[in-house]
Amino acid sequence: MEEAQLLDGRYVAGQIHRETMEAVQRLRRKGILPCVVFIRVGNHPPSELYVRMKQKKAQEVGIQSEVISFPEDVSQKEVLDNLNRLNLDPSIHGILVQLPLPSHLSEKQIALAINPKKDIDGFHPLNLGKMLLGEKDCFYPCTPLGIQELLKRYKIEIEGKEVVILGRSNIVGKPLAALFLQKSKYANATVTVVHSFSQNIKEHCRQADILIAAMGKARFVTRDFVKPKAVVVDVGVSRIADSSSPQGYRIVGDVDFDEIKKIASWITPNPGGVGPMTIAMLLANTVKAAELSQP
Ligand code: GUN
């Protein structure tokens, strides 16, 4: 049997970044400089890396950005005061608070405090509710949006397919289920969400035409979870110890790539699949925020 073809997130993200850059240029000609603020709290090396990557890409496409770094023990009030200030500043179009936050801060309250019109992550309940209703004048979370866009650009049909999502996080699993259920040519799927309390997980997964692994368990999805010719998308990011690597660890996904590429029809590499798409959609959302900010 032939090996699976790659759903190359780096390549597609590159295309989207070029489109975003063109949109930024159109806005600049109208005198609008799209601008995003990234907020980070404490010392969490993966979050520092993610924010650096987001900022670098923003710069490459011509979006202005600023990073606000708070110490680990910052108070909830100080974060909220800053959000209020940014909410009111018309020169700022997007605000992102990098998760996870230290346990003394309320992610829920912080998501609620961001002006929904600047919520480029799509985590505010108003945006999540609008997404559930299929509305468009709002922001959808970037990872689900990136997965849908990646499949769309490779012309992989979702309509009428059995989509099985492993994981029910508020950032990926739940909003992705809502997105694939929408009445749209790029959705209209039959969606199953399996999680830690599900029974017969493997049997559910084996029904999938499109299998999305988003539970954050290193190489959980092995060959016997996958129907031959299925499309497999790996969202997972886990660090495993690796003494041969300079950092002492290696990033692996939820999917056993080497085994599954032998039976799937399409598969995302990881890294290089969903991750770059998430950043591409974040910057596309920032441009959308800047466009919608105009009267
Ligand atoms: N942490 C992990 N993924 C994300 C994301 O998409 N947005 C934010 N703000 N934090 C995250």
Side-chain angles (χ1 to χ4, degrees):
M1 202 155 126
E2 263 177 66
E3 280 201 350
Q5 292 185 269
L6 286 185
L7 294 163
D8 186 342
R10 276 199 192 110
Y11 175 78
V12 175
Q15 284 183 337
I16 295 168
H17 287 311
R18 281 191 289 281
E19 293 160 16
T20 300
M21 196 185 296
E22 286 164 16
V24 170
Q25 282 160 1
R26 283 195 294 277
L27 283 165
R28 281 178 179 258
R29 282 196 287 276
K30 290 195 226 162
I32 303 154
L33 303 178
C35 178
V36 57
V37 175
F38 301 111
I39 297 179
R40 237 184 27 74
V41 181
N43 299 70
H44 184 256
S47 290
E48 286 169 29
L49 175 67
Y50 291 142
V51 169
R52 268 203 309 279
M53 291 192 322
K54 289 171 185 178
Q55 198 181 23
K56 180 165 170 275
K57 279 292 167 199
Q59 191 183 11
E60 280 174 26
V61 300
I63 294 175
Q64 296 198 317
S65 68
E66 186 192 331
V67 178
I68 302 177
S69 291
F70 289 115
E72 182 81 21
D73 61 355
V74 66
S75 68
Q76 175 92 359
K77 180 173 184 308
E78 189 163 358
V79 177
L80 295 181
D81 287 349
N82 272 275
L83 287 175
N84 285 336
R85 175 178 62 80
L86 299 167
N87 281 343
L88 295 172
D89 183 340
S91 70
I92 288 162
H93 305 101
I95 303 170
L96 175 148
V97 179
Q98 186 66 28
L99 304 178
L101 294 171
S103 57
H104 70 281
L105 298 176
S106 161
E107 285 183 6
K108 206 153 115 180
Q109 259 195 39
I110 286 172
L112 260 176
I114 296 173
N115 179 346
K117 295 193 163 102
K118 301 189 179 190
D119 171 37
I120 51 173
D121 256 329
F123 294 166
H124 189 288
L126 185 74
N127 282 317
L128 287 167
K130 282 188 165 191
M131 178 191 192
L132 200 59
L133 297 172
E135 301 196 11
K136 296 282 183 280
D137 65 331
C138 59
F139 299 100
Y140 291 3
C142 303
T143 301
L145 207 50
I147 293 168
Q148 185 188 43
E149 193 63 28
L150 186 62
L151 297 176
K152 184 171 159 182
R153 297 219 181 194
Y154 278 97
K155 299 192 164 45
I156 289 171
E157 221 176 318
I158 304 172
E159 193 167 62
K161 300 294 179 191
E162 295 284 338
V163 173
V164 177
I165 301 169
L166 279 152
R168 54 172 164 177
S169 68
N170 288 336
I171 297 185
V172 185
K174 281 195 240 172
L176 185 61
L179 189 59
F180 279 168
L181 280 174
Q182 285 186 342
K183 287 190 179 171
S184 148
K185 180 167 160 25
Y186 301 107
N188 286 337
T190 304
V191 180
T192 305
V193 182
V194 300
H195 50 79
S196 50
F197 283 78
S198 298
Q199 294 186 0
N200 308 321
I201 292 180
K202 207 180 279 186
E203 286 67 30
H204 282 297
C205 291
R206 268 208 291 261
Q207 301 298 314
D209 300 310
I210 302 174
L211 181 63
I212 320 270
M215 78 289 231
K217 286 201 165 111
R219 296 208 192 95
F220 180 85
V221 176
T222 50
R223 205 179 161 120
D224 46 339
F225 283 69
V226 179
K227 178 166 89 174
K229 294 280 168 202
V231 175
V232 179
V233 175
D234 186 2
V235 186
V237 179
S238 301
R239 286 181 174 205
I240 57 164
D242 179 2
S243 53
S244 68
S245 125
Q247 304 103 324
Y249 67 84
R250 198 153 51 91
I251 301 291
V252 295
D254 289 351
V255 167
D256 184 345
F257 179 87
D258 291 334
E259 277 302 307
I260 288 172
K261 73 173 185 210
K262 295 176 191 161
I263 53 170
S265 59
W266 292 90
I267 188 167
T268 55
N270 190 353
V274 175
M277 291 300 297
T278 297
I279 298 182
M281 300 326 285
L282 180 75
L283 299 179
N285 272 352
T286 306
V287 163
K288 183 176 179 181
E291 287 167 351
L292 292 177
S293 74
Q294 297 314 295

